[in-house]
């Protein structure tokens, strides 16, 4: 069964610094996709970035990049030049093909950015 | 605006009461999902549907029932609410099988905060 593990309950970073949020996964599926979502205090789920298992290059979206290490089964989110507005909960997720392609989520990491 | 709409946004129930949460999407998505979010637990899948008239159990289905009589709607029911069902509930929808990148179009509703006293 698919499993997502986020081992950092909370992370603290200063503005303009880079931060890495860890995510490891477990799957026996040769084809899979990994997602990162941001949940600010207002509660909505905001899609950030996606990495497909067969993608040749690491995904990037603006200040977000995904450090994808397939052999280690890790898909860490890197946020460059942190901003105060980046303070939020961050979730790593993976499609579960056995559940109608529902996303399964890790427990999340709370990121706090200070000035 | 296109998207996923959840009603109600907030609700307080007494133990033993029943209620139905409504999820509606206007993107013609085949698949729909109900999640609950509890502190420190992330989002956990309650039930899901891969098409009109079909439903299936997710990770935490006990105490909930669902129905999908119309493609655009997915209802989550609590027959006899318990304090353990105090949570934030999210509905989501997506396209069916796709190949390639993030084109499943996962879209989340804004959530329903339910308190059972």
């Amino acid at each position: 069964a698919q499993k997502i593990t986020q081992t950092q309950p909370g992370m603290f970073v200063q503005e303009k610094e880079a931060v890495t949020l860890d995510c490891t996964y477990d799957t026996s599926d040769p084809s899979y996709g990994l997602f990162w979502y941001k949940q600010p205090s207002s509660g909505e789920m905001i899609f950030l970035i996606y990495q497909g298992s067969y993608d040749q290059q690491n995904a990037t979206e603006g200040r977000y990049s995904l450090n994808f290490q397939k052999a280690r089964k890790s898909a860490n989110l890197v946020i460059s030049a942190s901003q105060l507005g980046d303070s939020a909960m961050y979730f790593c997720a993976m499609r579960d093909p056995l559940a109608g392609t529902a996303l399964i989520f890790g427990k999340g990491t709370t990121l706090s950015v200070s000035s | 605006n296109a998207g996923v709409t959840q009603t109600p946004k907030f609700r307080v129930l007494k133990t033993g009461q029943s209620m139905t949460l409504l999820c509606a999407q206007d993107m013609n998505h085949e698949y729909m999902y109900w999640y609950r979010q509890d502190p420190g637990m992330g989002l956990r899948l309650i039930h899901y549907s891969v098409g009109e008239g079909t439903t299936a159990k997710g990770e935490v289905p006990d105490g909930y029932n669902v129905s999908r009589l119309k493609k655009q709607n997915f209802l989550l029911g609590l027959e006899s609410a318990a304090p353990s069902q105090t949570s934030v509930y999210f509905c989501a929808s997506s396209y069916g099988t796709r190949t390639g990148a993030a084109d499943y179009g996962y879209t989340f509703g804004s959530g329903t905060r339910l308190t059972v006293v």
Side-chain angles (χ1 to χ4, degrees):
Chain A
Q2 265 80 348
K3 185 178 180 182
I4 295 284
T5 302
Q6 294 180 256
T7 57
Q8 306 157 313
M11 290 286 286
F12 298 86
V13 68
Q14 290 205 312
E15 266 187 305
K16 302 179 184 177
E17 290 184 349
V19 62
T20 298
L21 306 184
D22 294 342
C23 172
T24 58
Y25 60 91
D26 192 17
T27 181
S28 55
D29 219 346
S31 176
Y32 52 90
L34 293 152
F35 299 74
W36 276 92
Y37 282 84
K38 173 184 179 181
Q39 186 181 45
S41 57
S42 53
E44 71 267 32
M45 297 292 288
I46 302 169
F47 167 73
L48 294 178
I49 197 167
Y50 170 85
Q51 179 83 44
S53 58
Y54 290 120
D55 292 343
Q56 294 297 314
Q57 294 187 330
N58 287 348
T60 60
E61 291 286 348
R63 294 186 299 110
Y64 303 108
S65 61
L66 209 152
N67 183 2
F68 182 50
Q69 298 187 44
K70 200 170 180 177
R72 293 186 175 185
K73 294 190 174 180
S74 74
N76 299 338
L77 177 71
V78 180
I79 305 175
S80 63
S82 298
Q83 301 172 355
L84 293 177
D86 294 333
S87 294
M89 177 76 82
Y90 290 81
F91 292 101
C92 182
M94 168 184 283
R95 275 197 306 268
D96 185 352
L98 299 179
T101 74
L103 292 175
I104 58 167
F105 289 84
K107 294 184 178 182
T109 296
T110 301
L111 177 64
S112 300
V113 181
S114 59
S115 57
Chain B
N1 290 337
V4 175
T5 302
Q6 290 184 233
T7 53
K9 295 192 185 310
F10 302 92
R11 184 75 185 267
V12 178
L13 281 181
K14 293 183 179 179
T15 298
Q17 286 185 319
S18 64
M19 79 163 293
T20 300
L21 281 68
L22 171 63
C23 177
Q25 53 96 2
D26 59 3
M27 296 166 288
N28 203 33
H29 282 168
E30 293 93 351
Y31 293 179
M32 296 186 75
Y33 317 91
W34 276 108
Y35 293 89
R36 61 176 289 171
Q37 182 180 13
D38 303 295
M41 297 299 294
L43 277 74
R44 292 182 292 170
L45 184 66
I46 304 171
H47 285 279
Y48 64 96
S49 167
V50 299
E52 183 178 311
T54 72
T55 63
K57 295 179 180 180
E59 180 187 356
V60 288
D62 294 342
Y64 306 95
N65 56 75
V66 288
S67 65
R68 193 162 177 209
L69 300 179
K70 295 182 179 181
K71 186 177 183 179
Q72 63 267 36
N73 295 336
F74 195 28
L75 278 62
L76 177 71
L78 288 73
E79 290 187 350
S80 180
S84 60
Q85 294 177 304
T86 294
S87 188
V88 179
Y89 292 85
F90 284 97
C91 177
S93 68
S94 73
Y95 292 110
T97 303
R98 289 289 186 272
T99 57
D103 51 0
Y104 280 75
Y106 291 103
T107 304
F108 284 82
S110 58
T112 296
R113 186 173 295 275
L114 175 66
T115 302
V116 183
V117 298

PDB file of all heavy atoms in Angstrom, chain A residues 61-78:
ATOM      1  N   GLU A  61       8.465  25.257  -9.858  1.00  0.00           N
ATOM      2  CA  GLU A  61       7.368  26.194 -10.054  1.00  0.00           C
ATOM      3  C   GLU A  61       7.709  27.445  -9.273  1.00  0.00           C
ATOM      4  O   GLU A  61       7.497  27.513  -8.070  1.00  0.00           O
ATOM      5  CB  GLU A  61       6.035  25.626  -9.545  1.00  0.00           C
ATOM      6  CG  GLU A  61       5.459  24.485 -10.321  1.00  0.00           C
ATOM      7  CD  GLU A  61       4.855  24.907 -11.652  1.00  0.00           C
ATOM      8  OE1 GLU A  61       4.689  26.128 -11.867  1.00  0.00           O
ATOM      9  OE2 GLU A  61       4.564  24.012 -12.470  1.00  0.00           O
ATOM     10  N   GLY A  62       8.280  28.424  -9.959  1.00  0.00           N
ATOM     11  CA  GLY A  62       8.642  29.661  -9.275  1.00  0.00           C
ATOM     12  C   GLY A  62       9.657  29.406  -8.176  1.00  0.00           C
ATOM     13  O   GLY A  62      10.736  28.876  -8.416  1.00  0.00           O
ATOM     14  N   ARG A  63       9.296  29.775  -6.936  1.00  0.00           N
ATOM     15  CA  ARG A  63      10.225  29.583  -5.804  1.00  0.00           C
ATOM     16  C   ARG A  63      10.203  28.161  -5.250  1.00  0.00           C
ATOM     17  O   ARG A  63      10.954  27.851  -4.318  1.00  0.00           O
ATOM     18  CB  ARG A  63       9.877  30.573  -4.690  1.00  0.00           C
ATOM     19  CG  ARG A  63      10.109  32.036  -5.047  1.00  0.00           C
ATOM     20  CD  ARG A  63       9.877  32.952  -3.856  1.00  0.00           C
ATOM     21  NE  ARG A  63       8.503  32.887  -3.354  1.00  0.00           N
ATOM     22  CZ  ARG A  63       8.167  32.353  -2.204  1.00  0.00           C
ATOM     23  NH1 ARG A  63       9.091  31.826  -1.390  1.00  0.00           N
ATOM     24  NH2 ARG A  63       6.893  32.344  -1.824  1.00  0.00           N
ATOM     25  N   TYR A  64       9.328  27.328  -5.802  1.00  0.00           N
ATOM     26  CA  TYR A  64       9.209  25.959  -5.312  1.00  0.00           C
ATOM     27  C   TYR A  64       9.948  25.008  -6.256  1.00  0.00           C
ATOM     28  O   TYR A  64       9.821  25.111  -7.473  1.00  0.00           O
ATOM     29  CB  TYR A  64       7.750  25.530  -5.241  1.00  0.00           C
ATOM     30  CG  TYR A  64       6.882  26.417  -4.388  1.00  0.00           C
ATOM     31  CD1 TYR A  64       5.947  27.266  -4.974  1.00  0.00           C
ATOM     32  CD2 TYR A  64       6.989  26.411  -3.004  1.00  0.00           C
ATOM     33  CE1 TYR A  64       5.150  28.084  -4.193  1.00  0.00           C
ATOM     34  CE2 TYR A  64       6.198  27.232  -2.223  1.00  0.00           C
ATOM     35  CZ  TYR A  64       5.280  28.073  -2.826  1.00  0.00           C
ATOM     36  OH  TYR A  64       4.493  28.883  -2.051  1.00  0.00           O
ATOM     37  N   SER A  65      10.678  24.105  -5.689  1.00  0.00           N
ATOM     38  CA  SER A  65      11.279  23.035  -6.475  1.00  0.00           C
ATOM     39  C   SER A  65      11.180  21.741  -5.688  1.00  0.00           C
ATOM     40  O   SER A  65      11.032  21.743  -4.463  1.00  0.00           O
ATOM     41  CB  SER A  65      12.735  23.350  -6.827  1.00  0.00           C
ATOM     42  OG  SER A  65      13.506  23.482  -5.648  1.00  0.00           O
ATOM     43  N   LEU A  66      11.228  20.659  -6.425  1.00  0.00           N
ATOM     44  CA  LEU A  66      11.080  19.360  -5.810  1.00  0.00           C
ATOM     45  C   LEU A  66      12.389  18.597  -5.995  1.00  0.00           C
ATOM     46  O   LEU A  66      12.820  18.396  -7.131  1.00  0.00           O
ATOM     47  CB  LEU A  66       9.899  18.616  -6.447  1.00  0.00           C
ATOM     48  CG  LEU A  66       9.172  17.609  -5.569  1.00  0.00           C
ATOM     49  CD1 LEU A  66       7.726  17.453  -5.987  1.00  0.00           C
ATOM     50  CD2 LEU A  66       9.890  16.276  -5.634  1.00  0.00           C
ATOM     51  N   ASN A  67      13.004  18.221  -4.909  1.00  0.00           N
ATOM     52  CA  ASN A  67      14.234  17.438  -4.944  1.00  0.00           C
ATOM     53  C   ASN A  67      13.841  15.964  -4.926  1.00  0.00           C
ATOM     54  O   ASN A  67      13.614  15.379  -3.860  1.00  0.00           O
ATOM     55  CB  ASN A  67      15.105  17.787  -3.741  1.00  0.00           C
ATOM     56  CG  ASN A  67      16.435  17.050  -3.779  1.00  0.00           C
ATOM     57  OD1 ASN A  67      16.719  16.300  -4.719  1.00  0.00           O
ATOM     58  ND2 ASN A  67      17.249  17.249  -2.771  1.00  0.00           N
ATOM     59  N   PHE A  68      13.740  15.392  -6.113  1.00  0.00           N
ATOM     60  CA  PHE A  68      13.213  14.041  -6.290  1.00  0.00           C
ATOM     61  C   PHE A  68      14.380  13.060  -6.380  1.00  0.00           C
ATOM     62  O   PHE A  68      15.194  13.144  -7.286  1.00  0.00           O
ATOM     63  CB  PHE A  68      12.360  13.987  -7.555  1.00  0.00           C
ATOM     64  CG  PHE A  68      11.710  12.654  -7.819  1.00  0.00           C
ATOM     65  CD1 PHE A  68      10.984  12.001  -6.836  1.00  0.00           C
ATOM     66  CD2 PHE A  68      11.796  12.076  -9.081  1.00  0.00           C
ATOM     67  CE1 PHE A  68      10.373  10.788  -7.090  1.00  0.00           C
ATOM     68  CE2 PHE A  68      11.185  10.861  -9.348  1.00  0.00           C
ATOM     69  CZ  PHE A  68      10.466  10.220  -8.358  1.00  0.00           C
ATOM     70  N   GLN A  69      14.453  12.157  -5.407  1.00  0.00           N
ATOM     71  CA  GLN A  69      15.484  11.129  -5.406  1.00  0.00           C
ATOM     72  C   GLN A  69      14.781   9.779  -5.386  1.00  0.00           C
ATOM     73  O   GLN A  69      14.396   9.261  -4.331  1.00  0.00           O
ATOM     74  CB  GLN A  69      16.413  11.297  -4.208  1.00  0.00           C
ATOM     75  CG  GLN A  69      17.164  12.617  -4.234  1.00  0.00           C
ATOM     76  CD  GLN A  69      18.213  12.713  -3.138  1.00  0.00           C
ATOM     77  OE1 GLN A  69      18.955  11.758  -2.889  1.00  0.00           O
ATOM     78  NE2 GLN A  69      18.282  13.851  -2.489  1.00  0.00           N
ATOM     79  N   LYS A  70      14.632   9.244  -6.594  1.00  0.00           N
ATOM     80  CA  LYS A  70      13.807   8.050  -6.774  1.00  0.00           C
ATOM     81  C   LYS A  70      14.359   6.856  -6.015  1.00  0.00           C
ATOM     82  O   LYS A  70      13.597   6.090  -5.406  1.00  0.00           O
ATOM     83  CB  LYS A  70      13.716   7.741  -8.274  1.00  0.00           C
ATOM     84  CG  LYS A  70      12.565   6.865  -8.676  1.00  0.00           C
ATOM     85  CD  LYS A  70      12.459   6.854 -10.199  1.00  0.00           C
ATOM     86  CE  LYS A  70      11.311   5.986 -10.651  1.00  0.00           C
ATOM     87  NZ  LYS A  70      11.162   6.022 -12.138  1.00  0.00           N
ATOM     88  N   ALA A  71      15.661   6.669  -6.034  1.00  0.00           N
ATOM     89  CA  ALA A  71      16.261   5.506  -5.375  1.00  0.00           C
ATOM     90  C   ALA A  71      16.036   5.563  -3.864  1.00  0.00           C
ATOM     91  O   ALA A  71      15.877   4.535  -3.208  1.00  0.00           O
ATOM     92  CB  ALA A  71      17.744   5.433  -5.688  1.00  0.00           C
ATOM     93  N   ARG A  72      16.019   6.768  -3.316  1.00  0.00           N
ATOM     94  CA  ARG A  72      15.796   6.936  -1.878  1.00  0.00           C
ATOM     95  C   ARG A  72      14.325   7.064  -1.551  1.00  0.00           C
ATOM     96  O   ARG A  72      13.957   7.174  -0.385  1.00  0.00           O
ATOM     97  CB  ARG A  72      16.528   8.183  -1.379  1.00  0.00           C
ATOM     98  CG  ARG A  72      18.026   8.090  -1.441  1.00  0.00           C
ATOM     99  CD  ARG A  72      18.661   9.309  -0.778  1.00  0.00           C
ATOM    100  NE  ARG A  72      20.105   9.202  -0.717  1.00  0.00           N
ATOM    101  CZ  ARG A  72      20.883  10.082  -0.108  1.00  0.00           C
ATOM    102  NH1 ARG A  72      20.343  11.135   0.492  1.00  0.00           N
ATOM    103  NH2 ARG A  72      22.184   9.922  -0.087  1.00  0.00           N
ATOM    104  N   LYS A  73      13.482   7.109  -2.566  1.00  0.00           N
ATOM    105  CA  LYS A  73      12.042   7.312  -2.391  1.00  0.00           C
ATOM    106  C   LYS A  73      11.773   8.570  -1.574  1.00  0.00           C
ATOM    107  O   LYS A  73      11.037   8.543  -0.578  1.00  0.00           O
ATOM    108  CB  LYS A  73      11.383   6.085  -1.763  1.00  0.00           C
ATOM    109  CG  LYS A  73      11.420   4.871  -2.684  1.00  0.00           C
ATOM    110  CD  LYS A  73      10.564   3.735  -2.158  1.00  0.00           C
ATOM    111  CE  LYS A  73      10.510   2.599  -3.166  1.00  0.00           C
ATOM    112  NZ  LYS A  73       9.668   1.465  -2.687  1.00  0.00           N
ATOM    113  N   SER A  74      12.409   9.653  -1.990  1.00  0.00           N
ATOM    114  CA  SER A  74      12.159  10.918  -1.317  1.00  0.00           C
ATOM    115  C   SER A  74      11.774  11.987  -2.338  1.00  0.00           C
ATOM    116  O   SER A  74      12.233  11.963  -3.488  1.00  0.00           O
ATOM    117  CB  SER A  74      13.368  11.361  -0.501  1.00  0.00           C
ATOM    118  OG  SER A  74      14.398  11.823  -1.347  1.00  0.00           O
ATOM    119  N   ALA A  75      10.953  12.904  -1.906  1.00  0.00           N
ATOM    120  CA  ALA A  75      10.449  13.983  -2.767  1.00  0.00           C
ATOM    121  C   ALA A  75      10.345  15.238  -1.914  1.00  0.00           C
ATOM    122  O   ALA A  75       9.263  15.673  -1.552  1.00  0.00           O
ATOM    123  CB  ALA A  75       9.100  13.601  -3.364  1.00  0.00           C
ATOM    124  N   ASN A  76      11.488  15.824  -1.614  1.00  0.00           N
ATOM    125  CA  ASN A  76      11.523  16.967  -0.711  1.00  0.00           C
ATOM    126  C   ASN A  76      11.177  18.261  -1.428  1.00  0.00           C
ATOM    127  O   ASN A  76      11.597  18.498  -2.559  1.00  0.00           O
ATOM    128  CB  ASN A  76      12.912  17.103  -0.076  1.00  0.00           C
ATOM    129  CG  ASN A  76      13.284  15.883   0.747  1.00  0.00           C
ATOM    130  OD1 ASN A  76      12.418  15.124   1.199  1.00  0.00           O
ATOM    131  ND2 ASN A  76      14.573  15.697   0.940  1.00  0.00           N
ATOM    132  N   LEU A  77      10.425  19.097  -0.754  1.00  0.00           N
ATOM    133  CA  LEU A  77      10.050  20.408  -1.285  1.00  0.00           C
ATOM    134  C   LEU A  77      11.075  21.436  -0.831  1.00  0.00           C
ATOM    135  O   LEU A  77      11.365  21.535   0.362  1.00  0.00           O
ATOM    136  CB  LEU A  77       8.660  20.813  -0.797  1.00  0.00           C
ATOM    137  CG  LEU A  77       8.184  22.197  -1.232  1.00  0.00           C
ATOM    138  CD1 LEU A  77       7.876  22.203  -2.731  1.00  0.00           C
ATOM    139  CD2 LEU A  77       6.938  22.608  -0.439  1.00  0.00           C
ATOM    140  N   VAL A  78      11.596  22.193  -1.769  1.00  0.00           N
ATOM    141  CA  VAL A  78      12.538  23.262  -1.456  1.00  0.00           C
ATOM    142  C   VAL A  78      11.862  24.589  -1.772  1.00  0.00           C
ATOM    143  O   VAL A  78      11.376  24.795  -2.891  1.00  0.00           O
ATOM    144  CB  VAL A  78      13.842  23.126  -2.263  1.00  0.00           C
ATOM    145  CG1 VAL A  78      14.799  24.254  -1.903  1.00  0.00           C
ATOM    146  CG2 VAL A  78      14.493  21.762  -2.009  1.00  0.00           C
TER     147      VAL A  78
END
